[in-house]
Amino acid sequence: MEQPPVTTRATTATARGRDVSFSYQEDTGILVLNWEDSQDHVNDREVVGVIDDPRGKRGNEIQPQLILRVVTSQSSPEEPKKKFSFQSLPVTGLPLDYLNSHLLETVPEYLDVPPSADGSRNLHVIISVRSGLGEAQQFYDDILSHALEAIDLNRETYHVHITTSENSITEITEKLLLPRANDGIPQTVLLLSGDGGIVDNVNSLFLSTRSEKYVKPTIGLISMGTGNALANSTGLNLDATRGLRCIFKGTPHPLPTFTAQFSPGSVLLTNEGRNTEPIPSSASGHTGIMHGVVVCSWALHASLVADSDTTAYRKFGSQRFQMAAKELMAPEDRSGPHVYNGMITLYKANSENEEYPQELPDTKSSYIVATLVSHLEAKFTISPDSRPLDGQLRVLRFGDISGVDVMRLLGMAMQGGGHERDEMALYEPVTGLRIQMDEEDGRWRRVCVDGKIVRVAEGGWVEVRRDKEEVVDLVA
């Protein structure tokens, strides 16, 4: 039998200073506010949390509270860039079920991080201004700064860093976060970025020397990227607050990562593929090392990420990936999609947890990814068996199949899955992956590591392994 909504009557409730009756059903996620002359509603997806009004109560009145809310709007359906506004709705007498879902009783310890002995702040906000559609600065100005103020974290309690180049997050990590982490100082970073910001942070920490006193920084991610794979795979984007609700009410968890090691002569492609840089070396002297949190790929996935990473494509948001994929699947010269040639070796663990290699007999691949996450985009379920932060590396691979079948399988992934069970797909948990490439044209030797593109040397290889330690915690 359908349960009636939980209702609080006007005699004990107020909103915006006026008597009101509330009705709330958790299954619909809508709080309805009924005044005598009007009505309003608050969608759960917009709510960051409910806090006690810091102005307190007077006399015997009911404790006043504030509903903290992120309201999102678009100027038109064709305009992917959104506008944000922050609302702090004063209320009393909220339904108990509503409070059970949304009340923030205390400020999380990782937000209330103490300053260093010299007074320097250890709560940081990093604004990656070029991430995704360029919404990060507006989100900080219009939402995050006000939300922090609401829980008594004013501008004097944290340090704001605004990126000025693609190396800014790396520089902030190396010059500021790493030395303090090595001194055993707890730190929290509220990162307004896409997956790339996390990757820059993780790589900087992994490739540097960490002391015995090292304390992992805690990362609170506000998803501002294009695909936002990490946010979509860990539940940060299940609501409309871009991960802010999770920062207020979440829990830090170790963030699983992987290492991709490249053969000598491989280079990092920058400036939309026009320039090259050497791949960094680790603190222990290993060369050609990159770390990732989402995906390492070759073949179609790597090519479409590389081809779509341009100013012209980025204005289309996540649609840029589908646009690039269609061009790769149906080239203008009508030659058909490229089939990538290279020896694939999977590393697996037996029942006694002993590793063994499995070399695939077919050397031709259309699509291959090794991933730690379930979603590469909000609706793109690349690895249905993956669970948030489970640390299991999984491989999805299509062999020498037609472009029509590739798009059919990827279409299934866009519908939530089923592709992984198709007879044309290989989908398995692994401990590692090695690709020995046999391609003359450098365009077909590109590898994607969380959006960064590496061109493997001719006759070269890439090997992916799950890291045995974590260097940051993620609030989820």
Side-chain angles (χ1 to χ4, degrees), residues 148-456:
L148 294 175
E149 183 79 29
I151 59 172
D152 205 26
L153 292 173
N154 61 44
R155 184 63 180 76
E156 302 302 315
T157 62
Y158 58 90
H159 190 83
V160 176
H161 311 265
I162 300 175
T163 61
T164 56
S165 74
E166 61 184 26
N167 297 319
S168 291
I169 295 177
T170 297
E171 293 168 356
I172 293 167
T173 303
E174 292 176 348
K175 295 177 181 179
L176 182 62
L177 302 180
L178 176 65
R180 294 186 188 182
N182 277 337
D183 285 341
I185 298 173
Q187 302 170 92
T188 296
V189 178
L190 305 184
L191 180 60
L192 292 88
S193 171
D195 298 317
I198 288 274
V199 174
D200 288 342
N201 175 261
V202 164
N203 272 278
S204 299
L205 296 172
F206 260 117
L207 298 176
S208 303
T209 300
R210 298 182 300 284
S211 72
E212 292 183 358
K213 295 193 298 181
Y214 179 84
V215 172
K216 291 179 292 183
T218 297
I219 306 294
L221 181 61
I222 305 289
S223 59
M224 290 287 141
T226 302
N228 296 309
L230 187 60
N232 286 313
S233 298
T234 52
L236 302 186
N237 275 357
L238 289 178
D239 55 57
T241 70
R242 297 292 186 102
L244 184 54
R245 181 196 296 177
C246 188
I247 288 174
F248 274 41
K249 301 190 70 174
T251 303
H253 300 271
L255 178 62
T257 57
F258 62 82
T259 295
Q261 183 167 10
F262 295 89
S263 57
S266 302
V267 293
L268 185 64
L269 300 182
T270 60
N271 190 22
E272 301 184 359
R274 290 187 286 266
N275 302 106
T276 64
E277 295 179 4
I279 301 172
S281 300
S282 67
S284 59
H286 291 98
T287 59
I289 295 288
M290 293 181 68
H291 296 267
V293 299
V294 174
V295 66
C296 180
S297 69
W298 180 50
L300 175 62
H301 182 268
S303 294
L304 69 87
V305 172
D307 288 352
S308 67
D309 191 19
T310 66
T311 302
Y313 266 119
R314 280 190 173 274
K315 66 183 180 182
F316 296 104
S318 61
Q319 290 296 315
R320 67 188 177 99
F321 300 126
Q322 296 180 42
M323 295 166 65
K326 289 179 181 178
E327 292 184 10
L328 286 162
M329 288 290 95
E332 288 185 0
D333 62 5
R334 300 185 179 182
S335 59
H338 183 75
V339 179
Y340 300 73
N341 198 42
M343 183 63 68
I344 310 293
T345 303
L346 307 179
Y347 295 96
K348 300 182 178 182
N350 61 23
S351 58
E352 298 179 354
N353 208 31
E354 298 171 333
E355 188 178 77
Y356 66 94
Q358 178 189 346
E359 192 173 282
L360 301 185
D362 179 13
T363 62
K364 297 187 182 298
S365 298
S366 299
Y367 189 97
I368 182 166
V369 300
T371 184
L372 287 169
V373 303
S374 58
H375 290 71
L376 296 184
E377 301 173 33
K379 296 181 180 179
F380 190 13
T381 312
I382 192 67
S383 177
D385 290 349
S386 295
R387 296 295 176 264
L389 307 175
D390 67 3
Q392 176 62 62
L393 195 65
R394 289 177 169 86
V395 165
L396 174 70
R397 186 238 185 184
F398 311 152
D400 184 4
I401 63 177
S402 70
V404 171
D405 282 323
V406 170
M407 297 308 288
R408 176 180 63 83
L409 292 173
L410 295 181
M412 294 170 71
M414 292 295 292
Q415 299 299 319
H419 61 290
E420 77 282 5
R421 299 188 299 272
D422 193 280
E423 61 180 9
M424 292 186 175
L426 179 149
Y427 176 64
E428 296 185 20
V430 298
T431 59
L433 166 72
R434 182 183 176 93
I435 304 172
Q436 178 71 50
M437 298 183 189
D438 186 15
E439 291 281 358
E440 292 184 4
D441 191 336
R443 185 185 181 195
W444 311 127
R445 299 196 305 272
R446 292 177 297 180
V447 169
C448 170
V449 179
D450 288 6
K452 296 184 182 298
I453 303 299
V454 172
R455 186 176 65 220
V456 174

Side-chain angles (χ1 to χ4, degrees), residues 40-153:
D40 197 0
H41 69 275
V42 177
N43 192 316
D44 274 0
R45 286 176 45 78
E46 302 172 337
V47 176
V48 176
V50 175
I51 63 171
D52 287 343
D53 191 328
R55 292 169 295 187
K57 62 180 182 177
R58 293 184 295 273
N60 295 323
E61 71 177 12
I62 299 172
Q63 172 63 52
Q65 294 171 319
L66 300 173
I67 300 176
L68 307 182
R69 179 185 180 194
V70 176
V71 179
T72 306
S73 61
Q74 283 178 279
S75 57
S76 70
E78 294 76 26
E79 173 56 58
K81 195 170 184 178
K82 295 179 173 61
K83 296 181 180 180
F84 308 99
S85 61
F86 181 76
Q87 293 185 4
S88 179
L89 176 62
V91 294
T92 61
L94 283 168
L96 182 59
D97 282 9
Y98 194 80
L99 288 173
N100 288 340
S101 297
H102 297 296
L103 183 63
L104 179 68
E105 298 188 57
T106 59
V107 175
E109 186 175 316
Y110 51 82
L111 288 179
D112 196 22
V113 59
S116 299
D118 61 2
S120 56
R121 293 159 288 185
N122 290 311
L123 176 60
H124 303 273
V125 174
I126 299 179
I127 304 170
S128 180
V129 294
R130 293 186 61 193
S131 288
L133 296 170
E135 300 167 320
Q137 184 68 63
Q138 188 216 339
F139 194 93
Y140 169 75
D141 292 339
D142 295 345
I143 302 295
L144 181 58
S145 61
H146 299 292
L148 294 175
E149 183 79 29
I151 59 172
D152 205 26
L153 292 173

